[in-house]
Amino acid sequence: ANAAGRVIAQPACADPALASPLARNARQLFARFDADDPTALADARLRAFRTRVLPTLRRTLESGAGGQTILYVPAYFDFVRLRGLLADEDIPFASLSEYTSAKSVSRARTALAHRELPLLVYTERAHFFRRHHLRGASHAVLYGLPTYAHFYLELLSMLEPAPEAAGECTCVALFCRFDVQPLRRLVGDERAAAMLGGREESYVVAA
């Protein structure tokens, strides 16, 4: 229940998504960034992605076999900004949104499945409406936490190690204090409180 936007009463999250066996498919890192003003959240998230995620993402994409990555974006406005950033950084990618034509969707999915596409930028609304099961990626980056916890598990289930490359599948997720509700649905109340209030900025989560 929500009382005038001031008090929220909610049941404890006793069955977080990471309790599922599907969550064991990848090594998972949650990276917290600072955000004090909700009106400036989009800028803070983009800045965190550029400084903390993009350098590692670039190295992963340039590693060759096994570097294929799905970049999951919950909000369309962020999706538009990310495409501009990736283009400015000369990072090759394809995008899949709710507005992508069927022909372009097929082309992107085929290229990823054949590991010819290094990066696929994928919106939450595309997943909500189409439920694509993407093949060919070994890594996932979440620009923001999914609105629905089971989307996280569905993303993890898509990841598969490249046959010709040694290494594990990985998932990196950005979050801040304004993501408390989706975070608690993923990791549970106790762990969410520790991750939001802890001194560390990054948390490796074991299912």
Side-chain angles (χ1 to χ4, degrees):
N2 188 326
R6 297 172 185 160
V7 178
I8 298 177
Q10 56 194 4
C13 186
D15 187 26
L18 291 189
S20 168
L22 291 175
R24 304 187 185 118
N25 193 42
R27 180 177 181 272
Q28 299 155 65
L29 175 72
F30 286 75
R32 191 185 70 213
F33 65 94
D34 294 329
D36 298 322
D37 182 359
T39 64
L41 177 57
D43 291 334
R45 193 179 299 274
L46 184 65
R47 185 165 54 250
F49 177 83
R50 182 189 291 115
T51 58
R52 298 186 58 192
V53 177
L54 189 57
T56 302
L57 175 61
R58 185 189 293 277
R59 289 193 296 271
T60 299
L61 298 176
E62 293 175 349
S63 66
Q68 288 72 26
T69 302
I70 297 171
L71 175 52
Y72 179 88
V73 191
Y76 189 81
F77 173 72
D78 289 328
F79 170 71
V80 173
R81 298 186 76 184
L82 265 181
R83 286 192 307 180
L85 173 63
L86 294 172
D88 290 343
E89 295 286 337
D90 293 322
I91 295 177
F93 70 96
S95 57
L96 201 166
S97 77
E98 59 273 29
Y99 302 114
T100 305
S101 68
K103 183 177 181 180
S104 296
V105 169
S106 178
R107 186 185 304 117
R109 294 187 64 178
T110 299
L112 183 66
H114 292 164
R115 295 190 177 268
E116 299 167 352
L117 176 67
L119 178 64
L120 179 67
V121 186
Y122 185 40
T123 68
E124 181 168 274
R125 284 174 61 85
H127 189 67
F128 180 89
F129 288 115
R130 304 299 181 190
R131 283 302 200 281
H132 297 297
H133 186 81
L134 305 171
R135 302 292 301 274
S138 299
H139 310 282
V141 173
L142 280 70
Y143 190 75
L145 301 182
T147 304
Y148 305 99
H150 62 279
F151 283 7
Y152 183 84
L153 298 177
E154 290 169 6
L155 283 171
L156 292 184
S157 72
M158 299 178 194
L159 304 180
E160 50 192 8
E164 67 277 16
E168 60 186 348
C169 298
T170 65
C171 179
V172 177
L174 280 174
F175 75 99
C176 70
R177 69 187 187 93
F178 296 112
D179 296 318
V180 58
Q181 297 305 328
L183 182 64
R184 63 186 291 273
R185 289 191 288 268
L186 289 180
V187 303
D189 293 319
E190 184 176 345
R191 185 179 282 175
M195 292 168 64
L196 289 166
R199 298 178 61 181
E200 303 296 329
E201 292 185 337
S202 298
Y203 296 85
V204 176
V205 175

